[in-house]
Amino acid sequence: MTVLHLADEGEAADLAAFLSRLLHYDRGAAVRLQAAGTALAVFGRPPSFEVLAIRAVRLAKPYEDGLDVTLDVTVSAGELLESVDEHAATAGVPAAVTGPPWAGVLPPRGGWQVVAGLPAPAAAGHGERRGRRIPFPYAGVGAREPYPCRTRPDRAGDLVPDRRGDGVAGAGRACRAVARIPAR
């Protein structure tokens, strides 16, 4: 097991507190560790929040494991917490685990880059589509009655078409517009 030498007891206590809080929300939490030089970044995500929690920890000496000078691994937060020794200011890196989806999408280490914006709609090929009629996919149904886009329960509990058209964000208006497109 790789051992990380933390800068002091305070860093070890802060790391243990961070992991304890994360485990409070999710007993099966995973954290991603990234170390380079004398810095260790610990990334975690509480399940009840849509945030990514980050804790930076100073290392006493630059990380190295044989020829590797960087560490990038996803581990169990509980196992990492058990390996933290506050008095010795060390933490053992547990075995890697298959991490959650967020662990693969982290902020860039080298900073952000400015990229060109999106092309204009005409350059993207959207301009020539305006004015064209879109064929109605339910031509047989649409010819007899308007397309039932929304449904509501009737008194017996069955779903019936909602023809009021006052749906959320204009869904009813959009459905009525599609229903009026003539079939070919």
Side-chain angles (χ1 to χ4, degrees):
M1 177 187 305
T2 303
V3 176
L4 299 171
H5 299 278
L6 308 178
D8 55 27
E9 292 178 6
E11 291 290 333
D14 288 346
L15 177 60
F18 174 77
L19 294 170
S20 295
R21 288 185 196 116
L22 189 60
L23 288 167
H24 172 75
Y25 292 108
D26 182 11
R27 287 313 230 178
V31 292
R32 183 162 171 192
L33 305 176
Q34 289 185 340
T38 58
L40 170 69
V42 183
F43 297 89
R45 183 179 175 272
S48 56
F49 304 106
E50 294 296 323
V51 297
L52 182 64
I54 304 169
R55 174 70 178 112
V57 180
R58 290 181 299 130
L59 299 175
K61 61 180 187 175
Y63 171 80
E64 62 180 326
D65 184 25
L67 297 176
D68 285 336
V69 293
T70 60
L71 172 72
D72 191 359
V73 64
T74 302
V75 299
S76 166
E79 291 180 17
L80 181 60
L81 178 60
E82 290 175 0
S83 72
V84 174
D85 184 357
E86 293 183 32
H87 299 295
T90 60
V93 178
V97 298
T98 301
W102 63 261
V105 186
L106 292 180
R109 292 180 61 191
W112 299 98
Q113 296 177 355
V114 177
V115 295
L118 296 173
H126 298 293
E128 68 271 5
R129 283 193 278 227
R130 286 193 177 145
R132 270 194 352 207
R133 291 187 176 261
I134 301 169
F136 186 65
Y138 303 100
V141 174
R144 288 186 291 256
E145 60 182 85
Y147 179 59
C149 293
R150 293 178 53 219
T151 58
R152 60 178 167 78
D154 67 356
R155 292 186 183 178
D158 296 327
L159 293 176
V160 296
D162 184 0
R163 301 190 195 282
R164 292 179 303 182
D166 57 352
V168 178
R173 289 188 299 276
C175 291
R176 284 194 307 273
V178 170
R180 290 188 186 118
I181 296 175
R184 288 184 179 193

